[in-house]
Amino acid sequence: MRSRARLVVAAGGAVRELRSQAPLTLLPRRGTAAGRDPALTVHLVGSAATPLGGDDVELDVVVEPGAHLVLTGVAAAVALAAPGGSRFAVRLEIGGGASVRYLPEPTVVTRRADHLTVLDAVLGDGARLRCRDVLVAGRHGEAPGRYRGSTRVTGPGGPLLVQTQDLDPSPAHLAGRRVLATEVLVWGEDPAEASTGEWWSLTPLARGGTLATAVGPDAVTTQRDLATAVAAHPGWSSTVLAAVPSLQ
């Protein structure tokens, strides 16, 4: 199945363009809670079983200068076997002074799957990005299939992060663990130096931005460790404190 979806967000949370195509549906959040948040929240909803072999899904997102977007999933994506590999590509164009939080739910790569993901983010002057990716290698008690992931984040001065992950069924890639979680933060002040825990790390990038990484035995534990790493990021932490004065 070939699918192309597109979202264009203007300052103030106005949606200039919203185009969904099965198996990907974009649903803006409505109601009282949405009115209290200056960022527009859009949920990614699977309207059909996906990703299956042969699926080719692309999402283009344009966030105009001064606009703020939270793009989030509602359920884990389960990559299933079928003839041919599957592909999911996301392109983010973030204007000056704008922000995007891209926080999808985990992707589970089942035994016979062959799944490719691509993330390409381009940031304007003063733009901010928080982007999370959680990969689960197989269902419980199941060996994983093949996964390849490509991430490229580009700022006004050039590339900030170019990273490729290539995991095959061998458990050696994750030190015998099943879950790999990463988060890219281009969000205010970066840490002065790297910090680590038992199964997580937070590493400032050479040209700006920070990469958090965690590995673990299950998605809950790994995402908790990833949250610990992200909490050590000074730019993101200051944003959280500003939003919740009682924490100061």
Side-chain angles (χ1 to χ4, degrees), residues 24-197:
L24 181 62
T25 299
L26 308 176
L27 293 178
R29 188 176 70 182
R30 305 297 185 189
T32 304
R36 293 196 300 265
D37 192 338
L40 172 69
T41 295
V42 175
H43 297 290
L44 303 174
V45 180
S47 53
T50 189
L52 295 170
D55 282 355
D56 184 4
V57 180
E58 292 186 2
L59 171 61
D60 285 319
V61 178
V62 177
V63 181
E64 296 181 355
H68 305 286
L69 173 67
V70 179
L71 193 61
T72 182
V74 298
V78 181
L80 299 169
S86 54
R87 174 179 174 269
F88 181 50
V90 178
R91 287 186 286 270
L92 305 174
E93 181 182 328
I94 309 171
S99 71
V100 171
R101 283 169 276 171
Y102 177 47
L103 306 171
E105 292 299 305
T107 297
V108 182
V109 182
T110 62
R111 185 164 61 94
R112 292 190 176 91
D114 185 357
H115 188 52
L116 168 67
T117 64
V118 178
L119 174 71
D120 190 359
V122 179
L123 284 64
D125 288 327
R128 297 180 296 173
L129 172 67
R130 181 186 175 192
C131 178
R132 183 174 66 210
D133 182 43
V134 179
L135 172 67
V136 182
R139 291 169 291 197
H140 181 70
E142 176 188 52
R146 178 75 183 275
Y147 170 83
R148 289 156 294 158
S150 172
T151 300
R152 184 180 182 91
V153 179
T154 304
L160 304 178
L161 174 67
V162 179
Q163 176 172 275
T164 300
Q165 297 168 342
D166 193 341
L167 303 178
D168 64 22
S170 167
H173 291 281
L174 302 181
R177 298 200 153 202
R178 292 181 55 240
V179 182
L180 169 66
T182 59
E183 194 157 316
V184 182
L185 286 156
V186 183
W187 203 284
E189 181 187 358
D190 292 312
E193 58 184 12
S195 56
T196 61

